[in-house]
Every structure is written in structure tokens, then in C-alpha cells.
Amino acid sequence: MSEARPAIVPETAKHQGDAWNKKWEWVERSVWTEPMLKALETGVKGGMWYSLIDKVHNLKTLEAAWRKVRANKGSAGVDHQSIEAYEEDLERNLDRLKRELQDGSYRPRPIRRTYIDKPGGKDKRPLGIPTVRDRVVQTALRMVMEPIFEREFRPMNFGFRPGRGCKDALREVETSLKQGYHYVVDADIKAYFDSIPHAKLIDEVGKRISDGRVLELIEAYLKQEIMEDLATWTPEKGSPQGAVISPLLANLYLHPVDVAMMEAGYRMVRYCDDFVIMCRSLTEAQAALEKVQGLMEERELTLHPEKTRVVDARVPGVGFDFLGYHFERGTRWPRKKSIKKMKDAIREKTGRRNGKSLEGIIKEVNMTSRGWFEYFKHSNKWTFTRLDGWIRRRIRSILRKRSKRQGISRGRDHNRWPNQFFHDHGLYSLAKAHGALLQSS
């Protein structure tokens, strides 16, 4: 008897299977099993998902959520319980969460509000810090919900999505400019995270999820009390920045705008609440702005009147900013706030009274420079040459102070400590890194 041959799988089927597995490789498999993913792809009855709360309070889901919360680190919330303290009694803590979610007794604790600096400016951005236990539940909830909505999100949407990021959005903008989309609607949504109306947001979630317990849980997070100093208050709208679930909800609320703009034929590139619309003519750009303004009004949102405009990116001295870069005349470089933020970080490490060794100072400066270059490496050459010179002057001022000379770096300091001196001591050169990048390209 001849030996049975293995079934031959057509190459097209193999390719489709590989693409399918890659598409969903990021999902939590303790939640999204193969049958669930197939149902997601083929569509469930009425397009609605009914029983999801049991996936949220499944112990395996909570354990996977905990691992993500621990990896992200973060501060303690209003209960002052740190990640380390939560982990000391992890099994009991997760069991308690499971029971509370099962019997409906779970209630989110207030969010601790703090403020962080906005990049390159004196303004502060509010940041909400939930407790560790609430971050675990929100992460579990996101694991369950995200694939349902991710399947429908449009290609123009790059923010806080699996396998996508700022660099992809920037690449899309650059490609559009090269293809002749020079007229740009440079838009800014005024206080987006603080302005999302709760009822309309819940309605958007309810278009795909009909599990009442899940909807109640989302609403509880939206109405979560905020503790600031000694005062506590309940928000009437908005989704708190800092909450694990907020980026997904923020993306979901703007999804209808993406759909409408795409169906109208506009080329929009969006990263959460930051977006541009790329157009071929001034008339098209003005029509696009009018269209998106109307869509925002329907969402009960407002475009910032002073920060929203139509520009011709070819005009010298005009251009537009997007995701930290300034685009103008067919090229891009870091916007002023991005440069200022980088310089502020270097200033903190190069004070003239810095008591660390030269090697220690250079090591810390290099960490900042390398991280900054990784994001801004696709910029004009002069950006890096000027910053290199500025960094060397900062360090020369320290050396000048240590050699009992007055004032900042000047005069013959360039001869005392030439550029080669810093190269020999291992100072990272942004210009050389950029040159090496161009050669490898």
C-alpha cells in the first residue's frame, strides 16, 4: 500500500492564512480564540457582540492585563498602592477583581489628576492616573473591545493602533506632498479629550457592543471622579488622558469623521486628534475644511479657530506642523517646540555646576541625543549640524568653569577643546549619524 501523501495547500491559501495570522498577531489569544477571530472576520449576527463581560473578568484575561500594566509601570493612584505593592498579593487582588466584575459590585476609584509640561511650552496638560486595580480592568476591557473596532478603522487613522505609529503617518504625509498634494488643511481640535460627549460616545460603542454590563463599565469610567489636590469632582463630558481605555474611545469617536471624509474622496491623515487633509488645489482644501468643520459640529466638537488654517506647503516661510515636524518647500525638519524640548532636556544635563565626570555627562547627553535622533532623523542636514555645535558649547562651558575661567564658552575654547576632543571622548554626533543614515539609504 502506498503511503498517504499530505494534502497540498494552494500557495494563495497559504498566503491568505499568513496575512490573516499577521493581521491579528497582536490580539490577546486568551480572549480572542481562532473561532472568535473567524467570527470577527466573517461577521456576527446583526454586527453586534452580545456576551463579552465574561471575557473581561476571565482570570486569564486579568492576568494578561496585569502583565501589561506592570510592563508599562506608572505611578500609584489615589489609594497610594504602587505596582510593587499590588504584586505582593497579586493572586488575591486578581481574584477580588474577578468576583467584583462577576457580581456587578466593581466600582472604579477616583482618578488622581496631575499636570505635565506640554512639549516646548509653558502650558500644562492634565493627566489622569487611575489606580493600579482600575488600570488592570481597563486593560482587560481594551483587550476584549479593541479587535471589534480595529477591524473597521480606516487606513487614514494612525494613532494608538496596533502596528501603526507616528512614523507611518509622517511617511503618508511626505508621500502625498511628493504626489502634488501641496494644499493642506492644518487642523486642531479644541480640547478634544475634554470635549467628547458621553452619551454620543456610548452610542458609538453600542453600534457594535450590546453587552449592557460592558457599556455600564465604560460609562463608569467616563464618569469616574477626578481628585485634584483635596477637591473631587465628576466630569460631565470627556475621556481622561492617562486612562488605558481613552485612546481607543477617542479613536472610535472620530471614526465616523474618517468614514465621511474618505467617502467624500479627501486624503486625510489622522493621529488621534491631530490631523491634516492633503489636497491638490486651494478650492479643494477650502471645501475639505468646510466639510470637516461640519462633521466636527455634528460630533459636538470645535476646530480651534486660531490653529486651523489652509496652507500652501510650497510657500517659503509658511508650511505646517504635524507630529513634531515642520513641513515646508518639499522638505521637513523638527518644529520649534521639538527643538526647544530637546534643548531643555540637554540643559538639565549640562549645567555649568554639574559635578559629574566628563564621561558621565557625555553618557547622559548621548542618551537624549540618540533617542531624539531616532525620531527626527529624516530632517535637513543643517538641523543636526547646528544642534551638535550647540551641545559642544554647553559642554565647553562646563570645562571652562572647571579650568577657572569666567563666563560661557567663547574665544579660544574651540581650540582648547576642538571637535575631535569630543569625538575621542565618545560624544554622539547627530550630523555624523545623519550622514551614515544617508549613506546606508
Side-chain angles (χ1 to χ4, degrees), residues 11-12 20 40 95 105 110 124 174 212-213 233 342 368 430:
E11 285 299 317
T12 53
W20 189 82
L40 182 65
D95 281 338
S105 63
K124 300 284 186 178
E174 194 161 77
R213 295 276 299 279
W233 52 280
M342 195 269 194
T368 298
L430 296 164

Side-chain angles (χ1 to χ4, degrees), residues 14 68 129 207 258 332 373-374 424:
K14 285 182 180 179
K68 287 184 178 291
I129 303 176
K207 289 178 181 179
D258 295 342
R332 58 168 153 152
F373 179 78
E374 181 57 32
D424 294 341

Side-chain angles (χ1 to χ4, degrees), residues 103-257:
D103 62 26
S105 63
Y106 170 81
R107 297 290 182 276
R109 291 171 183 165
I111 290 176
R112 178 170 68 86
R113 170 163 283 192
T114 186
Y115 290 86
I116 59 174
D117 293 331
K118 283 189 175 182
K122 296 181 179 179
D123 295 337
K124 300 284 186 178
R125 175 183 288 122
L127 183 68
I129 303 176
T131 61
V132 175
R133 71 188 282 275
D134 290 339
R135 299 207 294 269
V136 171
V137 178
Q138 285 193 28
T139 303
L141 184 61
R142 179 169 180 166
M143 286 176 174
V144 172
M145 290 174 52
E146 191 165 28
I148 296 172
F149 298 108
E150 177 61 29
R151 181 179 177 273
E152 300 190 13
F153 285 161
R154 295 298 189 261
M156 65 182 53
N157 175 4
F158 291 92
F160 307 110
R161 293 183 62 190
R164 291 175 157 238
C166 291
K167 292 181 180 180
D168 302 300
L170 290 165
R171 193 177 300 115
E172 184 70 21
V173 168
E174 194 161 77
T175 298
S176 296
L177 289 169
K178 289 178 179 177
Q179 292 176 350
Y181 292 81
H182 300 298
Y183 292 91
V184 181
V185 179
D186 181 13
D188 182 270
I189 304 175
K190 191 173 181 179
Y192 175 58
F193 277 87
D194 294 331
S195 303
I196 302 173
H198 291 168
K200 284 193 172 184
L201 176 55
I202 293 293
D203 286 345
E204 289 298 328
V205 178
K207 289 178 181 179
R208 289 290 174 262
I209 295 175
S210 63
D211 187 323
R213 295 276 299 279
V214 170
L215 296 176
E216 288 172 6
L217 197 54
I218 294 170
E219 190 166 9
Y221 284 127
L222 293 176
K223 297 187 181 302
Q224 206 168 351
E225 288 187 329
I226 295 175
M227 183 175 289
E228 187 173 353
D229 297 326
L230 299 177
T232 303
W233 52 280
T234 303
E236 296 181 359
K237 58 182 179 179
S239 183
Q241 294 187 63
V244 178
I245 200 71
S246 281
L248 175 61
L249 296 178
N251 255 338
L252 175 60
Y253 193 66
L254 286 178
H255 175 62
V257 176

Side-chain angles (χ1 to χ4, degrees), residues 31-32 41 62 74 98 106 122 129 143 172 175 192 215 229 252 271 275 278 288-289 330 343 355 417 419 436:
V31 179
W32 287 93
E41 285 286 2
L62 293 174
K98 175 181 173 65
Y106 170 81
K122 296 181 179 179
I129 303 176
M143 286 176 174
E172 184 70 21
T175 298
Y192 175 58
L215 296 176
D229 297 326
L252 175 60
Y271 192 96
F275 68 91
M278 316 297 294
L289 176 56
K343 286 187 172 183
W417 303 290
N419 295 354

Side-chain angles (χ1 to χ4, degrees), residues 197 200 204 253-254 256-257 295-301:
K200 284 193 172 184
E204 289 298 328
Y253 193 66
L254 286 178
V257 176
L295 292 168
M296 291 299 170
E297 288 174 6
E298 290 175 10
R299 305 266 88 199
E300 296 183 27
L301 300 171

Side-chain angles (χ1 to χ4, degrees), residues 28-97:
E28 178 52 49
R29 289 307 177 116
S30 65
V31 179
W32 287 93
T33 60
E34 292 291 327
M36 281 188 69
L37 284 173
K38 287 178 180 177
L40 182 65
E41 285 286 2
T42 57
V44 292
K45 187 176 180 180
M48 300 291 287
W49 291 81
Y50 290 90
S51 299
L52 293 175
I53 191 65
D54 60 312
K55 309 293 189 301
V56 178
H57 63 58
N58 184 293
L59 198 55
K60 287 185 178 179
T61 307
L62 293 174
E63 288 170 350
W66 156 252
R67 289 192 292 271
K68 287 184 178 291
V69 170
R70 181 179 58 186
N72 289 335
K73 301 179 181 178
S75 305
V78 294
D79 59 359
H80 305 293
Q81 186 176 44
S82 65
I83 288 176
E84 293 76 17
Y86 193 88
E87 190 172 20
E88 288 177 3
D89 201 7
L90 181 62
E91 185 175 347
R92 184 181 297 179
N93 284 330
L94 294 183
D95 281 338
R96 185 184 299 119
L97 276 184

